[in-house]
Amino acid sequence: MHYELEGKVALITGGAGGIGAATCRIMAESGARIVVADIATDRAEAVAADLRASGHEAIALTLDLGSEDSIRAMYRATEARYGRLDIVDNNAALLTADQAQRDGDIEHMRTDDWDAAFAVNTRGTMISCREALRLMTPARRGVIINTASNLALQGNVIQAAYSASKAAVIQMTRAIATSHGKLGIRCNAVLPGLTGTPSALAHLPAELRETVEEETLTPGLGAPEDIAHLVAFLASDAARYITGQAMAADGGTSVHVPGYARLNRFFNGVAA
Ligand SMILES: NC(=O)c1ccc[n+]([C@@H]2O[C@H](COP(=O)([O-])OP(=O)(O)OC[C@H]3O[C@@H](n4cnc5c(N)ncnc54)[C@H](O)[C@@H]3O)[C@@H](O)[C@H]2O)c1
């Protein structure tokens, strides 16, 4: 699949991770020059080296999305290297096993865990958007894609901090679309459902996986490429009339009454 991104400079945060690396590859194959930014410098270098080995242009930068200085340094380095910035995919998030394990319901929430989720997922993404806009506004062009989650749309018994931090990302996306649309800048959010990346599947209890699979309307769970294709499409001019949207790629998990997919068998005789 080709998304006509020839010559564009695309920065992907968390570019060394599952969805991020898939996005780097699909955008590179569509002609973009790639900045792979990640807290895991070695893995970011490996993703960039892999792209270069396939004939694409890519560099790696170290980024800690929890640090304003680090975010600003990433943008300075991107500008110094390429002199332009067309696409930012804010994909990095705090997804450590420790954080995921402690991030439960509000009654048991440790304030530090709440703050940690917001420090990276919301504050870091906001600073990244701000620095991107400061480069894109004078050029009167640019696309920002923020990664939220389908968990930002519905109540849950776990990950209250993560979900709230991602819901704020959706609202930030609408604010940017509103303030900067006339300046030639589009901003959309993608909302992945459970997607087969190591960090998502590593510590997922079997009951939870089964529940999500049952509520997923498509035959299987998504792969990193399923999210990356949506990001690349939104980054392309083919999506020039789309801004301020929160688009789920979650196999329809978030669009139906929970439990009703199973009842299809009862009412319509359709086997799951
Ligand atoms: N995989 C899923 O099921 C799923 C579902 C909903 C939303 N998402 C979202 O998709 C995005 C990517 O998820 P993934 O499954 O590919 O995760 P992943 O763990 O495979 O990749 C995340 C990447 O972000 C990097 N990272 C973590 N903290 C960072 C920081 N402070 N600064 C810079 N980089 C940092 C990690 O090193 C990693 O390479 C995240 O925003 C996540 O919340 C994923």
Side-chain angles (χ1 to χ4, degrees), residues 12-22 37-41 43-44 47 61-67 70-71 74 89-96 119-121 125 146-152 159 162 165-166 190-201 204 222-224 227 249-250:
I12 294 100
T13 73
I19 294 170
D38 205 289
I39 202 163
T41 307
R43 283 194 287 111
V47 170
L61 295 176
T62 303
L63 163 72
D64 177 1
L65 197 60
S67 154
S70 176
I71 298 167
M74 169 185 73
D89 176 26
N90 284 310
N91 161 78
L94 181 62
L95 299 166
T96 57
V120 176
N121 304 349
T125 300
N146 292 325
T147 306
S149 165
N150 69 348
L151 297 183
Q159 292 191 289
Y162 173 82
S165 75
K166 293 290 195 175
V190 297
L191 282 56
L194 184 59
T195 304
T197 61
S199 74
L201 298 182
L204 194 70
I227 314 304
D250 68 347

Side-chain angles (χ1 to χ4, degrees), residues 30-141:
S30 294
R33 294 174 279 173
I34 305 295
V35 180
V36 187
D38 205 289
I39 202 163
T41 307
D42 289 356
R43 283 194 287 111
E45 294 283 4
V47 170
D50 204 34
L51 294 177
R52 287 195 298 269
S54 314
H56 306 299
E57 198 168 332
I59 59 166
L61 295 176
T62 303
L63 163 72
D64 177 1
L65 197 60
S67 154
E68 181 161 2
D69 287 348
S70 176
I71 298 167
R72 295 181 67 166
M74 169 185 73
Y75 280 100
R76 277 199 304 275
T78 301
E79 201 187 11
R81 176 72 168 81
Y82 290 118
R84 62 183 286 165
L85 178 63
D86 303 282
I87 298 158
V88 172
D89 176 26
N90 284 310
N91 161 78
L94 181 62
L95 299 166
T96 57
D98 279 1
Q99 176 75 14
Q101 208 161 28
R102 291 196 303 262
D103 183 3
D105 68 0
I106 295 291
E107 185 184 350
H108 302 98
M109 183 68 63
R110 289 177 58 231
T111 311
D112 284 352
D113 295 331
W114 180 269
D115 288 346
F118 275 73
V120 176
N121 304 349
T122 311
R123 180 179 181 272
T125 300
M126 182 282 292
I127 293 169
S128 178
C129 286
R130 185 188 70 203
E131 299 304 311
L133 289 171
R134 288 178 179 174
L135 290 176
M136 290 173 172
T137 300
R140 291 291 192 274
R141 63 151 199 276

